[in-house]
Amino acid sequence: MEIRFSKPDAMIFDIDGTLFKTESVLERAYYKTFAYLQENGLYRKQVPPIEKFYGTLGKLLDEIWAEVLPGETEAVRQIASEKLHEYELEGLLQGKGELYAGVAETLKALHQQGIRLFVASNGLEEYVKEVVRSCGIAPYFQKVYSAGEYKTPSKVRLVEMIMEENRLKNAWMIGDRSSDVEAGKANGLVVIGCDYADFKSDGELDHADAVITDFRQLLTLF
């Protein structure tokens, strides 16, 4: 049976794995980062499989690097984080960033229908805003929020902040990871899980209210 909900006043979107094909800039940035660490004597082990990094997407940066580089010092993790950020921005500025199919058109349609659109990402402020800007979707969003800018301890708190600051009553949370589901449910939102990226583990979207396999399906849910 087809799932349909009442039209929301607002939608809150995750970035990586939801709107943005993270691998379009991350893969090159990841290997450049480890090349830098190795060339400067900061890392002498085998490069962790990039799949390990993809599996951490959706978490806060400190949590990501603790999982990817568990035996390294805080200083090395910090340098790795800074270089990855630098190389990702480099890729975005070179126009290498890609959205998933139908994202731009769907966001435009939602915006034209009067739905207020927001971003909630656990990423760094500059990265998140550059994704939105360089991919040409900035005009559709009322505001872009990131854990990097607001220093929030979790996506639950970040979404709560968005709800409070913008006085949202009837909103949806759209994302691809368990952190998105948790953030939506904790704030009483309808949660739409996005099942088209390869980053998540089995079961992460089990508690979403609906799951889509193509971003354009959002328009069929209300």
Side-chain angles (χ1 to χ4, degrees):
M1 191 172 85
E2 197 173 277
I3 301 174
R4 292 181 75 87
F5 305 92
S6 60
K7 181 181 176 181
D9 299 323
M11 291 186 181
I12 302 170
F13 295 90
D14 173 50
I15 281 279
D16 291 314
T18 300
L19 304 177
F20 184 60
K21 276 188 179 180
T22 314
E23 61 270 31
S24 61
V25 296
L26 178 58
E27 186 164 346
R28 174 177 171 274
Y30 183 82
Y31 291 114
K32 281 191 72 172
T33 296
F34 277 95
Y36 176 89
L37 294 175
Q38 290 172 331
E39 287 166 7
N40 288 274
L42 298 168
Y43 188 77
R44 303 181 189 281
K45 303 172 189 173
Q46 188 172 355
V47 176
I50 194 169
E51 290 77 17
K52 187 172 185 179
F53 193 95
Y54 282 135
T56 66
L57 291 177
K59 298 183 179 182
L60 296 169
L61 279 173
D62 287 348
E63 297 172 326
I64 288 175
W65 287 109
E67 287 190 34
V68 176
L69 296 176
E72 301 303 317
T73 65
E74 197 61 44
V76 169
R77 291 178 190 169
Q78 182 62 33
I79 292 169
S81 185
E82 289 171 359
K83 297 308 290 185
L84 184 76
H85 180 55
E86 175 188 331
Y87 296 139
E88 283 184 317
L89 286 176
E90 184 179 85
L92 288 168
L93 291 169
Q94 291 172 352
K96 297 183 184 300
E98 297 177 26
L99 299 171
Y100 286 102
V103 166
E105 306 95 291
T106 302
L107 292 175
K108 181 179 180 180
L110 294 169
H111 179 68
Q112 289 175 336
Q113 291 186 42
I115 298 172
R116 300 164 69 191
L117 308 182
F118 300 87
V119 165
S121 171
N122 275 338
L124 291 172
E125 177 186 4
E126 194 176 6
Y127 167 77
V128 174
K129 289 183 176 177
E130 186 56 37
V131 167
V132 172
R133 188 205 67 79
S134 65
C135 291
I137 54 176
Y140 308 131
F141 289 101
Q142 186 166 326
K143 192 168 180 180
V144 173
Y145 289 79
S146 64
E149 180 174 4
Y150 291 95
K151 312 302 181 196
T152 46
S154 68
K155 187 165 279 190
V156 170
R157 176 57 191 138
L158 187 63
V159 171
E160 182 183 33
M161 180 188 300
I162 295 172
M163 299 292 291
E164 290 172 351
E165 285 190 1
N166 298 282
R167 299 180 180 179
L168 305 183
K169 301 295 183 185
N170 175 26
W172 291 6
M173 179 72 214
I174 296 98
D176 70 310
R177 302 305 302 265
S178 58
S179 57
D180 301 308
V181 177
E182 179 190 20
K185 289 297 180 182
N187 286 287
L189 310 186
V190 168
V191 176
I192 310 300
C194 298
D195 191 12
Y196 41 77
D198 298 324
F199 312 145
K200 64 188 174 304
S201 303
D202 291 342
E204 287 198 56
L205 301 178
D206 284 355
H207 298 292
D209 296 293
V211 175
I212 58 176
T213 55
D214 185 300
F215 192 79
R216 290 164 284 208
Q217 292 171 337
L218 262 184
L219 296 170
T220 70
L221 295 179
F222 59 88

